[in-house]
Amino acid sequence: MASAQATAEQVERIIAARSKAKLVRSLIYAVVLLLVAWSVNTTIIEDTDWARMGSVANVLESVAEFIGIDWGLFPHLLEPALETIMVATLGTLLGVVLCVPAIWFGALNITPFMPITYPFARLMMTLSRSIHEIVWALFFVAAVGLGALAGVLAIAVRSIGFIAKMTAEAIEDLDPKPVEAIRAVGGSEFQVFVYAILPQVLPVMVGVIIFEWEINIRRSSVLGLVGAGGLGLVFFRQLNTFNHPGVTTVIIAILILILFGELVSYFVRKAVI
Amino acid sequence: MSILSVKDLKVRYSASGPEILKGVSFDVEEDDFFAIIGPSGAGKSTLIRCINRLVEPKSGSILLYGTEVLSLNSRQLRRLRRGIGMIFQEFNLVDRMSVMDNVLSGRLGYVGNITGLFRLFSKADITRALSVLDRVGLSDHVDKRADQLSGGQRQRVGIARALMQDPKLLLLDEPTSSLDPKISREVMALIMEIAAEYKVPVLCNIHDVQLAMEFCNKIIGLQDGIKMFDGPTSEMNTKKLDEIYAMEVL
Amino acid sequence: MSVKAATPARSGAKSKQPLREWKRFRFPQSLYRWGGVLLGLVFLSYSVVYLNIPLERFFNMFGRVGTLVTERYYPPEIDYITEPDYLASVVDTIQMSYLGALFGMIMAVPLGWFGAYNMSPSKRFVYPLARFVAMSARSVHETIWAILFVTILGFGMMAGVLALTMFCVGFAGKLFAEEIEAIEMGPVEAIRATGANEFMVMVYGVFPQVRVAFTGIGIYTWDVAFRAATVVGFFGAGGMGWYLKRNILQIETYRVSAILVSIVVLVLIAEGVSAWARARVAKAK
Ligand SMILES: Nc1ncnc2c1ncn2[C@@H]1O[C@H](COP(=O)(O)OP(=O)(O)OP(=O)(O)O)[C@@H](O)[C@H]1O
Ligand SMILES: [Mg+2]
């Protein structure tokens, strides 16, 4: 039968095509696997002090040391927790203030002098985002000394990039009609900004700020590691005194704090937007 | 002897919600092409989806080839499902997979995890898929992605997928509602031919009464979760239709 | 006026009547609003006092930062970051970042599955558990993970890789779950109706729908992991961070600034690669 013949051929062709696709895919997988194996070898197998680590039982023993909660520590965590929240909040707000020029210069449709101001804003955003908060904190500790101020500054500077980027994008996408309307009634550039641009951009900006604030709680919880106050400092102290259940306790406190942050941001979001 | 026998089927979607099916019973015989008609929201889809337990009924009984469907555990349920082909209004193809893979996915109830995961379908399965695709008239589109096909072609892929299951029963949930009238007729004709060829009974939700009268030999009229009519197509008339669709007319 | 003021919730329905008096916010919304603002301001000023923030130091900080940068950190010692030792640590950092991202994502796929409400095997137990695991992994900062692993396993890149893995599990796990929750359920149901088991339903009904998004998220995860990888070494978990710490302790400020420059450049490159790759993936959809 002719059609059966054709079908048999077709089956062969399809099976061949499928196994060829599979071969190509397996080759890619093999290359990736080799790369991973090489990296595992250099980063894990060769770079680990296996003797110090000891047997699996030793490792489990050290993990077991962390199990448990140091209830006595909780009262001493309230102040650092409050500090952490405060640093995150002040840092976020300062970040918003510092953002303004980056937003103004960084939105293509309102940047005052494109060849200079635009790249400048992009540079600000990039620097802010690409340097880790720990590094920023180290820098500000060097500049203003140990303490919460360094933390606030680090958080602020680290926040600029994201807030400015999202807001600038919102400005680039905004509806031009209200702008024309305000211009048409004779509004000044400033009035255009306040009455036509701000109302459109504010909801986006508020959302972004709340989002960033949540992240900043997580960040400010560790800045104490480099001397900028908050829960990180307590964490460090527990670790250095080998109070391992205390370490766990601090981590739980951080979790609670972040959960609290998520709750607050949920309600603020609902109230504002 | 009836193949499928549904008795006093009751369904609620939530404990406090309204009763969607209020005790429906009917029997499907070996060579039946059953149409379920009724106004929107009557519970047609719910009824069909109870047969393979995509919806869990609250009480009642569904006997399929002598097995009580409602008392199966999940492994037995999967066994049962692989023998029931289902065709959907929205086709429910996996858009980003090729036509071939969509059709082959009809075999998933029969193959193991490894075969499925790496798509190592047997030669027999592929041969079968090709002949089924040939049967529904799609042999030229085997390697296309599902989202490159027209609506009628996509429904044909859906039919092919159901046929891959080697079904003992076909469930159709408004197979033609997303298609234009001409294509609808073609698809219904195709399904009818195939059902006769493969000797599978069919249970088909359908909105279009005319299509139902044309292609089906028996009709169930459903209104607000209650069976209003059950009998051969020849006994259906305008008066009874008006009764079934009373809600819509009013 | 008094009636209207007492039922502000229904003012929308009554707005067809001409208003005799118009105010931006009416009682009691006005009270909530101004109360909220006031509370915020009080909290802020209290924070400044509570944290002992020296405002005068804040205001003359800009000058100090300026002199600090120009005198102590400029010019960066570029020779230092082209030394083979340092370059090797860059390679280490890159390796750590993609291993962490890869391991994290391998674990994040089941976590995303179990933590997606529509596909989770059990909405009562598995779903909240998976969500909690993802949230915890994400909430604990990568540096804390690094310190914990260094404490348990000793110095070295293994601790770094594991720390990044934990971070990526949480990061990608959440995004994966959200992506799975947004799929169309039709194909899932169709695959289920063929008698496939839940694993096959994932492979055939869900995975093809989220593959492109997962790839994009994966690349993005790597990008974020790379940023984190530049500092985990600071706490002994391998990579460039260790050089940063050593030079800070030795007050080699020109070297520190050179390292910072290298970090910025590398992160920029990583970001570029990631953006390019994501665009490619999105187009290949
Ligand atoms: N998943 C669900 N959860 C809750 N209620 C549902 C669900 N699915 C359907 N219903 C309700 O059940 C009733 C019957 O729905 P069903 O889809 O079975 O109707 P139908 O007869 O198929 O209608 P149509 O012709 O529009 O497809 C409707 O009132 C619908 O709101
Ligand atoms: Mg329906």
Side-chain angles (χ1 to χ4, degrees), chain B residues 40-41 43-46 49 89 173-174 205 207:
Chain B
S40 205
K44 305 185 294 293
S45 302
T46 307
R49 293 152 62 85
Q89 175 179 355
D173 192 357
E174 307 203 14
N205 275 349
H207 230 91

Side-chain angles (χ1 to χ4, degrees), chain A residues 66-120:
Chain A
F66 285 91
I67 296 174
I69 292 180
D70 183 353
W71 294 103
L73 197 61
F74 265 107
H76 304 286
L77 287 178
L78 290 179
E79 276 190 28
L82 188 62
E83 259 176 51
T84 299
I85 293 266
M86 284 174 168
V87 168
T89 312
L90 286 179
T92 310
L93 283 183
L94 183 62
V96 173
V97 175
L98 297 180
C99 251
V100 171
I103 295 170
W104 181 23
F105 290 180
L108 273 176
N109 49 348
I110 57 167
T111 191
F113 184 59
M114 168 63 197
I116 292 176
T117 51
Y118 183 71
F120 175 77

Side-chain angles (χ1 to χ4, degrees), chain C residues 28-59:
Chain C
Q29 274 109 321
S30 56
L31 185 72
Y32 297 153
R33 213 166 254 263
W34 293 117
V37 170
L38 198 70
L39 216 68
L41 284 179
V42 168
F43 177 72
L44 287 182
S45 26
Y46 179 67
S47 303
V48 172
V49 177
Y50 184 87
L51 294 175
N52 256 328
I53 289 181
L55 283 179
E56 75 291 346
R57 233 201 283 168
F58 172 70
F59 284 112

Side-chain angles (χ1 to χ4, degrees), chain A residues 15-39:
Chain A
I15 290 179
R18 285 173 82 84
S19 42
K20 193 181 153 206
K22 248 173 250 160
L23 190 72
V24 171
R25 222 181 301 151
S26 334
L27 269 178
I28 295 175
Y29 287 151
V31 170
V32 171
L33 212 65
L34 275 177
L35 201 68
V36 170
W38 167 66
S39 303

